[in-house]
Amino acid sequence: MIEILHLKKSFGDVEVLKDIDLTISEGEVVSVIGSSGSGKSTMLRCINLLEEPTGGDIKFHGKSIMDGEFNENEYRSKVGMVFQQFNLFNNLSILDNCVVGQVKVLKRDRQEAEKIAKEYLEKVGMAAYINAKPSQISGGQKQRVAIARALSMNPEVLLFDEPTSALDPEMVGEVLNVMESLAEEGMTMVVVTHEMEFARDVSTRVCFMDKGVIAEEGKPEEIFENPKHDRTKEFLSRFR
Ligand code: ADP
Ligand code: MG
């Protein structure tokens, strides 16, 4: 579905992504782990065109997303993103947070958009809160709403950037459970995370990023039981 080929990204003189190759197939759950500053967020932001790559290419179903002819708006609606800080619209109700993108970007009529939003809010266990404002719910609930909002756009792939890092520990589980059920249903996901249990137990593949490159990738059991590189070993030892 997504092919990342020799991806490079610099900010000024600083090369943050050096030569990233990664292929994401339908139904895969790819966890991206690595130290702070290694370029994980920048890679996700290049995938959904929040950042413009400075080199290499990214293909979606075989077509370069950097080609002038490529329909960026349509692409963005197919690639959902869930952020560490939720990024909900604080002035809108929970329901409207999940409706507004469908109406504005997908041109769905409001009634249909509400029906779809309610289905996904139900799925993440937030149906009882449709009239609440984000300020009235907990962090874990906000993140579940953010996931429902992303799903309401019927994306082909969901990108998560440390979705549980801003949460109090007691709320991490409720968000991971939602993500795990999405994975079981076959949703294609790329998840930047420090939750090593999730990476080990839910992912189909794990990528370890170090200083702007994917230093090692493989099946979870390979990475966790038998890491090849010293940097991977050292990083994982911090979680033991
Ligand atoms: P991670 O998500 O792995 O912590 P990031 O992708 O956020 O890493 O950042 C990688 C490096 O790129 C960091 O050194 C960071 O300071 C730098 N960086 C990220 N975004 C920008 C930006 N917009 N301008 C300049 N430097 C940036
Ligand atoms: Mg980051």
Side-chain angles (χ1 to χ4, degrees):
M1 185 187 292
I2 297 176
E3 266 178 291
I4 303 174
L5 301 157
H6 301 295
L7 174 66
K8 294 188 175 72
K9 176 65 186 177
S10 299
F11 295 103
D13 295 339
V14 185
E15 194 171 46
V16 170
L17 299 181
K18 292 180 179 147
D19 189 4
I20 302 274
D21 282 307
L22 179 65
T23 303
I24 299 152
S25 303
E26 203 172 318
E28 272 200 291
V29 178
V30 179
S31 287
V32 180
I33 62 174
S35 306
S36 175
S38 58
K40 306 180 298 296
S41 295
T42 304
M43 181 176 79
L44 282 195
R45 293 169 61 83
C46 286
I47 294 175
N48 73 356
L49 287 171
L50 282 173
E51 297 284 359
E52 195 181 339
T54 40
D57 200 359
I58 299 176
K59 289 183 178 172
F60 183 63
H61 294 300
K63 286 189 184 147
S64 170
I65 68 171
M66 288 147 76
D67 188 333
E69 309 278 283
F70 188 78
N71 188 336
E72 288 186 14
N73 289 331
E74 188 189 326
Y75 174 69
R76 283 199 182 90
S77 75
K78 291 183 177 171
V79 181
M81 180 99 166
V82 174
F83 299 89
Q84 183 175 342
Q85 297 295 341
F86 328 121
N87 294 15
L88 297 180
F89 302 110
N90 288 319
N91 56 325
L92 297 182
S93 69
I94 298 312
L95 182 63
D96 283 345
N97 263 281
C98 298
V99 163
V100 62
Q102 297 186 63
V103 172
K104 288 204 168 149
V105 179
L106 302 181
K107 312 291 179 203
R108 285 184 182 148
D109 70 53
R110 192 171 167 95
Q111 212 182 348
E112 187 196 2
E114 282 191 7
K115 185 169 165 274
I116 292 167
K118 283 175 185 166
E119 278 166 24
Y120 287 111
L121 285 165
E122 174 84 46
K123 186 183 179 75
V124 301
M126 289 300 293
Y129 296 85
I130 55 173
N131 296 314
K133 288 279 174 64
S135 63
Q136 296 168 311
I137 61 176
S138 72
Q141 292 174 323
K142 283 183 202 177
Q143 198 58 299
R144 287 188 279 143
V145 170
I147 294 171
R149 176 177 63 177
L151 291 170
S152 296
M153 301 295 284
N154 301 121
E156 289 189 33
V157 50
L158 272 185
L159 312 178
F160 293 82
D161 194 358
E162 298 197 34
T164 60
S165 293
L167 300 178
D168 292 335
E170 72 268 25
M171 294 171 188
V172 169
E174 66 194 62
V175 172
L176 293 179
N177 285 342
V178 168
M179 292 168 62
E180 188 169 352
S181 61
L182 290 176
E184 281 166 5
E185 289 164 23
M187 186 77 207
T188 309
M189 298 160 61
V190 183
V191 184
V192 173
T193 188
H194 294 293
E195 293 294 330
M196 293 302 138
E197 253 179 71
F198 178 91
R200 198 186 55 214
D201 299 340
V202 181
S203 323
T204 54
R205 197 144 50 100
V206 177
C207 294
F208 169 64
M209 277 187 77
D210 185 43
K211 302 191 181 87
V213 299
I214 294 177
E216 185 163 355
E217 74 169 293
K219 295 199 172 108
E221 56 270 27
E222 291 167 357
I223 301 289
F224 287 100
E225 310 305 331
N226 194 15
K228 291 187 183 64
H229 292 277
D230 289 345
R231 291 286 296 129
T232 320
K233 288 177 197 165
E234 193 225 330
F235 177 78
L236 291 174
S237 71
R238 294 182 223 161
F239 294 88
R240 292 246 159 79

